Amino acid sequence: MAHSKNANELKGQSFTAVELQVVIGCLLGDGTLTQSGKEYRLRVEHKAAHREYVEWKYRHLGRFCITPPQFTAQHQSYRFGTVGHSKLTELRNVFYGGGKKSIPAGIETYFSPLALAILFMDDGGRIHNTVSFAIHCYSDTDAEIFRGMLRKQGIETTLQYDGHSSGRRLYIPTSSYATFKKLVNPYVNQISCMAYKLP
């Protein structure tokens, strides 16, 4: 009963602007929304080697969680989940309104350097002297929305097909890399297990 009461109290709290930016970064990246009663909750999970990253996300979203990150032997990973929340249900309807994950119009409002850093740490990686994002799950329209969001941050990109799969990657040319790094480094630099992703 104590857990149930606590969960109900959490469901009545509102997300702060920073917490929403973290949620948006997770949803654009590896985060998933699963049903919990009438509402949806956010599930965060990364491999065991990235436990520090999971705990960093938890520090931002722990206000909406009943339990801290747990190790799962089956996947050799750490994960945590929030309580079901009406705001997460709203975001689920926005991101999956057409039945498939997409980048919704108007999401730029929450697309801050923090959200960008989370998306990068989830789905990005270094390529020689710059970085790229895996955008395999997104449509051509979504890819262009994403490029526009980055352009508003002063970052140019090129879209290239991944030679090892049917997916695509968004590359940041070296001419825009310094701008990108200036935006995300304050966050990536907080998490030692993610430092390898930046040249």
Side-chain angles (χ1 to χ4, degrees):
M1 288 295 293
H3 271 197
S4 177
K5 181 181 178 181
N6 195 9
N8 288 332
E9 290 175 353
L10 297 180
K11 290 175 183 179
Q13 297 183 28
S14 298
F15 284 84
T16 66
V18 171
E19 288 167 341
L20 270 180
Q21 290 166 24
V22 173
V23 170
I24 295 300
C26 290
L27 292 181
L28 289 170
D30 290 337
T32 57
L33 291 170
T34 58
Q35 197 150 14
S36 176
K38 295 181 179 179
E39 308 291 1
Y40 279 82
R41 66 176 184 152
L42 177 68
R43 167 74 57 88
V44 170
E45 182 172 5
H46 295 283
K47 63 184 180 181
H50 291 167
R51 176 181 181 178
E52 181 187 4
Y53 182 40
V54 175
E55 292 174 341
W56 180 83
K57 285 184 175 180
Y58 177 78
R59 284 198 297 275
H60 284 286
L61 299 176
R63 196 163 66 89
F64 292 93
C65 302
I66 299 294
T67 57
Q70 305 290 316
F71 176 70
T72 61
Q74 182 181 2
H75 300 130
Q76 290 294 297
S77 63
Y78 280 89
R79 70 183 182 189
F80 70 87
T82 68
V83 296
H85 195 283
S86 59
K87 185 64 178 180
L88 298 177
T89 301
E90 176 187 324
L91 288 172
R92 202 273 178 188
N93 292 335
V94 169
F95 272 86
Y96 293 86
K100 182 181 178 183
K101 185 178 181 180
S102 63
I103 299 179
I107 208 66
E108 322 63 59
T109 305
Y110 302 105
F111 192 65
S112 63
L114 172 56
L116 174 60
I118 291 170
L119 173 57
F120 171 68
M121 289 186 281
D122 278 11
D123 288 338
R126 64 190 297 170
I127 302 289
H128 305 299
N129 294 320
T130 186
V131 297
S132 71
F133 293 83
I135 55 170
H136 302 164
C137 68
Y138 289 118
S139 68
D140 291 342
T141 300
D142 290 333
E144 289 307 315
I145 293 174
F146 185 19
R147 294 183 72 190
M149 289 162 61
L150 289 172
R151 198 173 294 117
K152 287 182 179 180
Q153 301 279 345
I155 302 166
E156 294 299 325
T157 59
T158 60
L159 185 61
Q160 299 181 16
Y161 282 87
D162 191 327
H164 300 291
S165 71
S166 60
R168 295 148 306 161
R169 299 191 74 85
L170 207 60
Y171 286 85
I172 294 178
T174 53
S175 58
S176 284
Y177 176 67
T179 301
F180 170 79
K181 185 174 182 179
K182 184 178 180 180
L183 291 174
V184 306
N185 196 51
Y187 306 104
V188 179
N189 194 44
Q190 296 175 20
I191 310 159
S192 59
C193 69
M194 287 290 155
Y196 76 95
K197 290 199 169 196
L198 286 175

